[in-house]
Amino acid sequence: MRLILGSGSPRRKELLAVLGIVPDAILPPDIDEDPAKGELPHHYCARIAREKAAVIPAGPDDIVLCADTTVALGRRILGKPTDADEARRFLDLLSGRRHRVFTALCVKRGDQRWDRIVEARVKMKSLSDLERDAYIATGDWQGKAGGYSIQGPAGAFIPWISGSYTAIVGLPLAETAQVLAAAGWPVWGQG
């Protein structure tokens, strides 16, 4: 039995390491992550995690772990910005407002699949132009849903969260441990 992490995110690998788990393989999936027209953020997030898991090559006893993190402002999905201008627009939208962060998990082993979705609520303080532009200049927004990462410099913009911090980072540890154990991975050792 092998554990395959279907993600290129160094944050997900680091969060697994908090549980003492080192994946046997890391295989970032290559799928189309564009939302469908009118797709709600939580449905989108869950679908993307499932689609990632579906394309990861694995043996019948291998366990595949995939996740997707989506930032939502109302019904609007704020994906990974394509450039600094889009990141600036996302931050302007989030500035002074609460938003939701969904992280969906999909674990598969053979024909079985376990799915979870975790919602956290986040408030971003009102950003000055100086704060926003200084953050954009760090480049930390690149490859980050919503154009920011709570574990990076933008953490200084987040005075309040409700829900799982690790879900906001990209892998909710409580739910991850639960679904991996359900799939047969010895999360807490061989016992």
Side-chain angles (χ1 to χ4, degrees), residues 45-59:
C45 189
R47 176 180 63 82
I48 294 299
R50 282 191 311 272
E51 289 182 7
K52 288 177 178 180
V55 300
I56 300 295

Side-chain angles (χ1 to χ4, degrees), residues 78-169:
L78 301 182
K80 297 172 185 167
T82 55
D83 57 29
D85 288 335
E86 188 172 38
R88 190 172 287 106
R89 284 193 298 277
F90 285 178
L91 291 173
D92 286 343
L93 286 169
L94 296 171
S95 177
R97 300 177 73 181
R98 289 185 183 186
H99 59 279
R100 295 172 297 154
V101 177
F102 296 100
T103 295
L105 299 173
C106 183
V107 170
K108 75 171 185 175
R109 183 175 185 182
D111 293 334
Q112 291 187 287
R113 195 181 80 208
W114 295 263
D115 299 293
R116 296 286 184 282
I117 189 156
V118 178
E119 177 184 343
R121 295 183 184 268
V122 179
K123 180 174 183 2
M124 184 174 284
K125 75 182 216 73
S126 294
L127 302 178
S128 69
D129 291 347
L130 174 67
E131 290 168 323
R132 182 201 60 214
D133 293 343
Y135 177 70
I136 296 295
T138 70
D140 186 66
W141 56 269
Q142 295 177 42
K144 310 289 185 354
Y148 78 94
S149 65
I150 194 170
Q151 73 279 9
F157 303 154
I158 310 297
W160 177 90
I161 70 168
S162 176
S164 169
Y165 173 81
T166 56
I168 298 166
V169 174

Side-chain angles (χ1 to χ4, degrees), residues 31-84:
I31 64 165
D32 176 4
E33 295 189 33
D34 290 336
K37 185 175 170 73
E39 191 171 25
L40 294 173
H42 64 282
H43 293 299
Y44 163 78
C45 189
R47 176 180 63 82
I48 294 299
R50 282 191 311 272
E51 289 182 7
K52 288 177 178 180
V55 300
I56 300 295
D61 231 18
D62 292 341
I63 296 173
V64 174
L65 168 63
C66 291
D68 186 70
T69 300
T70 299
V71 172
L73 189 58
R75 297 169 59 97
R76 184 172 181 180
I77 296 167
L78 301 182
K80 297 172 185 167
T82 55
D83 57 29

Side-chain angles (χ1 to χ4, degrees), residues 5-52:
L5 176 60
S7 174
S9 164
R11 292 159 304 283
R12 290 192 178 118
K13 183 180 172 190
E14 290 164 7
L15 286 167
L16 278 177
V18 169
L19 295 174
I21 297 173
V22 178
D24 296 295
I26 296 175
L27 302 174
D30 183 19
I31 64 165
D32 176 4
E33 295 189 33
D34 290 336
K37 185 175 170 73
E39 191 171 25
L40 294 173
H42 64 282
H43 293 299
Y44 163 78
C45 189
R47 176 180 63 82
I48 294 299
R50 282 191 311 272
E51 289 182 7
K52 288 177 178 180

